[in-house]
Amino acid sequence: INDGVDTLKSENELMAFKNIFNDWFARDTSKKIKAVFKAKGMSGKPLASKPPFGYMKSEYDKNQWVVDEEAAKVVKRIFRLCIDGYGPTQIARILTEDRVLKPTAYYEMKKSGTVTVEKPYHWAQKTVVGILSLMEYVGHTVNFKTKRKSHKNKKKINNPKSEWQIFENTHPAIISQHDFD
């Protein structure tokens, strides 16, 4: 629009070159942002935009997680049920029957004081599995679990565990290493 290009007319010989330069600029910006995230992630600071259920950002340092006691009780309960032999589907059913707010509803309740999420007490097996698989509950920061192929493709690709960067004891643990294992 700023260049005054009218695609109905054939006067856009330079557009191919402008598009190449625009793509180079986007690619260069993407590389710089990736370098900043890489440096932050390698320093042991969490790259996640929000902490996992059971934690919240410290009011003094946005890169530090503190335990959200109310949500941490639910996380501890999920691990305890798992240790007692219940599977993810059974745990989800128990939490649903006991009318425990699922994480999205819990965050909404904390933020606005009301819940508009549909089925706020309906826990999914996938949510339980996600909680049970997070090493963060042991007090570790785990960075680089996923990556993106390029600046044009926003699809996340899971990195193999060998490429993860794990920084131990970076925040208070909710679950002991023994219970996590």
Side-chain angles (χ1 to χ4, degrees):
I1 292 173
N2 289 337
D3 295 332
V5 174
D6 186 354
T7 55
L8 294 177
K9 297 179 183 178
S10 61
E11 302 173 11
N12 44 349
E13 293 88 15
L14 288 176
M15 277 313 297
F17 296 107
K18 285 189 176 200
N19 285 337
I20 288 171
F21 283 111
N22 288 338
D23 190 54
W24 284 344
F25 179 74
R27 186 178 312 146
D28 186 51
T29 302
S30 176
K31 285 180 182 177
K32 290 176 182 175
I33 291 170
K34 278 185 181 179
V36 169
F37 271 95
K38 180 86 170 173
K40 181 180 177 184
M42 294 304 286
S43 72
K45 294 178 181 171
L47 295 177
S49 56
K50 70 177 191 177
F53 183 66
Y55 289 103
M56 58 186 174
K57 289 185 179 182
S58 167
E59 57 186 67
Y60 307 108
D61 180 3
K62 67 178 181 157
N63 292 313
Q64 188 63 40
W65 295 346
V66 294
V67 175
D68 178 346
E69 293 298 335
E70 191 176 345
K73 288 178 186 175
V74 177
V75 171
K76 289 176 184 177
R77 182 175 181 197
I78 289 170
F79 275 90
R80 179 58 39 213
L81 287 168
C82 182
I83 290 167
D84 289 345
Y86 292 93
T89 304
Q90 295 167 311
I91 295 170
R93 184 181 39 78
I94 290 168
L95 295 172
T96 300
E97 288 172 357
D98 290 350
R99 298 183 56 81
V100 175
L101 284 173
K102 63 184 181 180
T104 51
Y106 177 78
Y107 288 131
E108 188 178 37
M109 175 63 83
K110 280 199 73 141
K111 186 175 182 181
S112 67
T114 60
V115 178
T116 60
V117 173
E118 193 174 315
K119 298 181 181 178
Y121 303 106
H122 186 263
W123 281 75
Q125 171 198 0
K126 184 172 119 178
T127 306
V128 173
V129 169
I131 288 172
L132 289 170
S133 66
L134 289 179
M135 292 177 70
E136 285 83 344
Y137 291 123
V138 186
H140 306 333
T141 295
V142 184
N143 290 331
F144 308 116
K145 291 182 189 178
T146 61
K147 64 182 173 188
R148 298 193 196 295
K149 200 167 194 173
S150 76
H151 69 285
K152 292 182 179 181
N153 185 350
K154 301 300 180 197
K155 184 178 177 185
K156 285 184 181 178
I157 300 168
N158 290 328
N159 278 332
K161 284 191 176 183
S162 61
E163 293 183 25
W164 293 6
Q165 289 294 316
I166 301 170
F167 300 90
E168 296 183 353
N169 306 316
T170 56
H171 52 270
I174 293 176
I175 303 298
S176 70
Q177 184 69 50
H178 178 267
D179 286 353
F180 181 81
D181 293 341

